[in-house]
């Protein structure tokens, strides 16, 4: 069984082919970073137009990479949400049209379920149940996962997501877009103890996150230390990263203790942050637990995770109808393997 996966939820065009027996056969990815860099962030209309230009050529490249033709594809899976509505419509329209033309089923995939299942693409996938920490530019969530399709939201950000806070703080520091990963690299050169930032909402019960106050504290510190040299810039970056990572670790530990689980999955763009990975690895080592995360290439948006999630839904015969529907806002809690 071979599934073609299409990911176009934001600013990456990802196409992949997953085979249930052989695993990942092809993985093509195009990033729009250079397109949006001049604007300091993603411009939705430009993102949609670029997906239109890139999706079909990448599908052709994926088929060539896997040495397959359209006749070998058993189903087409595409991201139906959440994401930018225009970008989602590109992938959904192309995916649904190809499925109709090829006379195979089409499958709607939840973008965050794709991230959550990305570690399943690795040689040592996690067993159920586990806690999933999904951290990206648009989401910060702690999810109790008992089986595929059985997800309970334990906590989420009530304002800025972790990746969004990284990018906005980087911009305040004068770091070019996309700034989050560049801020993390700069933080490695800084002295994190020179400045101290709050660990938001860790002094009260619950598993929700809030990063807007942390961002404001960083903004005030940047303003108070103007003009700053490169070392001060690195010190602020280091203190900010420490505060954000500490918050994620504290809340993850709380979720593990609350559920009694001892397996932790981290996924999403921010899961590529090495400081976060190391701190969570230390946490799980102390708890004698296990931690899982996708390889760096599968932390950001990609077609491989969509193809895999599509395969899971294919096996349950959960196919889309002829209507092309996308859901820019689609809570993971509304998703069920038996829906």
């Amino acid at each position: 069984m071979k599934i073609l996966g299409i990911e176009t939820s934001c600013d990456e065009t990802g196409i992949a082919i997953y085979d249930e027996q052989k695993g990942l056969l092809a993985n093509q990815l195009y990033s729009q970073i250079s397109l949006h860099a001049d604007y300091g962030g993603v411009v939705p209309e430009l993102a949609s137009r670029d997906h239109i230009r890139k999706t079909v050529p990448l599908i052709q490249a994926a088929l060539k990479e896997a040495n397959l033709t359209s006749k070998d594809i058993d189903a087409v899976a595409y991201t139906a949400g959440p994401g930018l509505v225009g970008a989602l419509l590109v992938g959904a329209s192309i995916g649904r049209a190809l499925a109709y033309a090829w006379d195979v089923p089409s499958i709607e995939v939840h973008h965050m379920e794709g991230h959550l299942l990305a570690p399943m693409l690795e040689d040592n996938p996690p067993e159920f149940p586990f806690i999933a920490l999904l951290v990206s530019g648009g989401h910060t969530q702690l999810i109790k996962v008992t089986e595929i399709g059985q997800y309970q939201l334990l906590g989420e950000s009530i304002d800025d997501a972790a990746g969004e806070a990284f990018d906005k703080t980087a911009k305040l520091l004068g770091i070019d877009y996309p700034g989050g990963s560049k801020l993390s690299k700069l933080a490695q050169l800084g002295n994190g103890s020179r400045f101290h930032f709050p660990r938001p909402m860790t002094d009260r019960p619950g598993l929700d996150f809030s990063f807007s106050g942390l961002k404001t504290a960083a903004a005030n510190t940047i303003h108070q230390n103007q003009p700053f040299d490169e070392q001060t810039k690195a010190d602020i970056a280091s203190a900010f990263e420490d505060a954000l990572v500490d918050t994620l670790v504290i809340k993850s530990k709380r979720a593990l203790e609350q559920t009694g689980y001892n397996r932790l999955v981290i996924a999403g763009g921010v899961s590529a942050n090495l400081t976060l990975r190391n701190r969570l690895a230390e946490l799980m080592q102390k708890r004698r637990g296990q931690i899982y995360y996708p390889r760096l290439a599968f932390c950001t948006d990609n077609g491989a995770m969509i193809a895999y999630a599509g395969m899971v839904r294919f096996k349950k015969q959960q196919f889309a109808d002829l209507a092309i529907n996308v859901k820019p806002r689609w809570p993971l809690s509304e998703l069920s393997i038996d829906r």
Side-chain angles (χ1 to χ4, degrees):
M1 178 172 57
K2 299 176 180 63
I3 309 295
L4 173 70
I6 302 174
E7 158 59 29
T8 64
S9 65
C10 191
D11 60 341
E12 273 119 3
T13 310
I15 307 295
I17 300 173
Y18 186 86
D19 184 286
E20 184 181 17
Q21 301 298 324
K22 299 179 181 179
L24 191 63
L25 302 181
N27 184 44
Q28 297 286 325
L29 183 66
Y30 173 78
S31 173
Q32 299 178 359
I33 286 177
S34 60
L35 175 65
H36 301 289
D38 290 342
Y39 304 95
V42 177
V43 181
E45 179 63 22
L46 294 181
S48 302
R49 292 180 183 183
D50 214 37
H51 285 308
I52 292 172
R53 286 189 289 266
K54 300 297 183 181
T55 302
V56 171
L58 286 176
I59 291 172
Q60 294 171 331
L63 288 169
K64 183 177 180 180
E65 179 185 351
N67 195 28
L68 300 173
T69 69
S70 60
K71 295 180 181 179
D72 298 308
I73 301 300
D74 296 293
V76 179
Y78 56 86
T79 302
L84 302 175
V85 62
L88 290 169
L89 279 169
V90 175
S93 299
I94 293 174
R96 191 65 197 85
L98 286 179
Y100 184 80
W102 295 347
D103 194 25
V104 297
S106 62
I107 303 165
E108 297 178 347
V109 172
H110 192 292
H111 179 74
M112 297 312 293
E113 183 178 42
H115 276 302
L116 189 153
L117 297 178
M120 301 296 182
L121 293 163
E122 305 303 328
D123 294 333
N124 181 34
E127 296 180 3
F128 299 99
F130 57 77
I131 295 296
L133 172 64
L134 302 183
V135 277
S136 66
H139 299 82
T140 305
Q141 299 177 327
L142 278 166
I143 298 169
K144 178 182 177 182
V145 181
T146 51
E147 288 288 345
I148 291 179
Q150 297 181 14
Y151 311 127
Q152 180 185 351
L153 180 65
L154 301 177
E156 62 183 338
S157 179
I158 61 176
D159 42 54
D160 291 354
E164 185 179 6
F166 261 116
D167 287 338
K168 288 182 176 179
T169 302
K171 189 173 183 178
L172 291 171
L173 283 169
I175 299 174
D176 294 336
Y177 172 87
S181 58
K182 295 176 183 177
L183 184 150
S184 296
K185 291 180 180 178
L186 180 63
Q188 305 307 308
L189 305 176
N191 174 12
S193 61
R194 180 178 171 187
F195 301 101
H196 180 78
F197 294 137
R199 275 62 175 163
M201 297 182 71
T202 58
D203 59 348
R204 67 194 75 175
L207 295 171
D208 285 336
F209 301 89
S210 172
F211 295 112
S212 63
L214 174 58
K215 183 189 65 181
T216 299
N220 291 336
T221 300
I222 292 168
H223 177 73
Q224 292 164 5
N225 287 273
Q226 291 282 8
F228 50 74
D229 56 23
E230 285 300 310
Q231 187 58 54
T232 299
K233 186 175 178 180
D235 293 344
I236 294 173
S238 180
F240 173 82
E241 182 179 66
D242 284 348
L244 191 145
V245 167
D246 275 353
T247 302
L248 293 173
V249 172
I250 291 168
K251 295 285 186 169
S252 296
K253 179 182 179 182
R254 193 175 291 178
L256 291 164
E257 292 173 345
Q258 179 177 306
T259 59
Y261 290 176
N262 224 16
R263 282 186 287 268
L264 177 66
V265 164
I266 57 171
V270 182
S271 69
N273 183 284
L274 295 181
T275 300
L276 177 61
R277 288 192 176 209
N278 291 336
R279 289 289 309 283
L280 287 173
E282 290 173 5
L283 169 67
M284 298 312 292
Q285 186 176 19
K286 290 178 182 178
R287 294 180 58 85
R288 296 184 179 179
Q290 297 168 298
I291 186 168
Y292 302 87
Y293 36 74
R295 71 195 76 167
L296 295 179
F298 293 159
C299 290
T300 55
D301 296 348
N302 62 89
M305 66 184 192
I306 303 304
Y308 181 86
M311 184 270 296
V312 171
R313 298 284 163 179
F314 181 93
K315 293 169 72 173
K316 292 293 182 178
Q317 301 290 292
Q318 295 181 338
F319 305 142
D321 55 29
L322 285 174
I324 298 174
N325 297 309
V326 296
K327 304 172 185 178
R329 296 183 181 276
W330 188 6
L332 191 61
S333 57
E334 294 181 0
L335 193 63
S336 170
I337 196 67
D338 299 317
R339 80 179 193 279

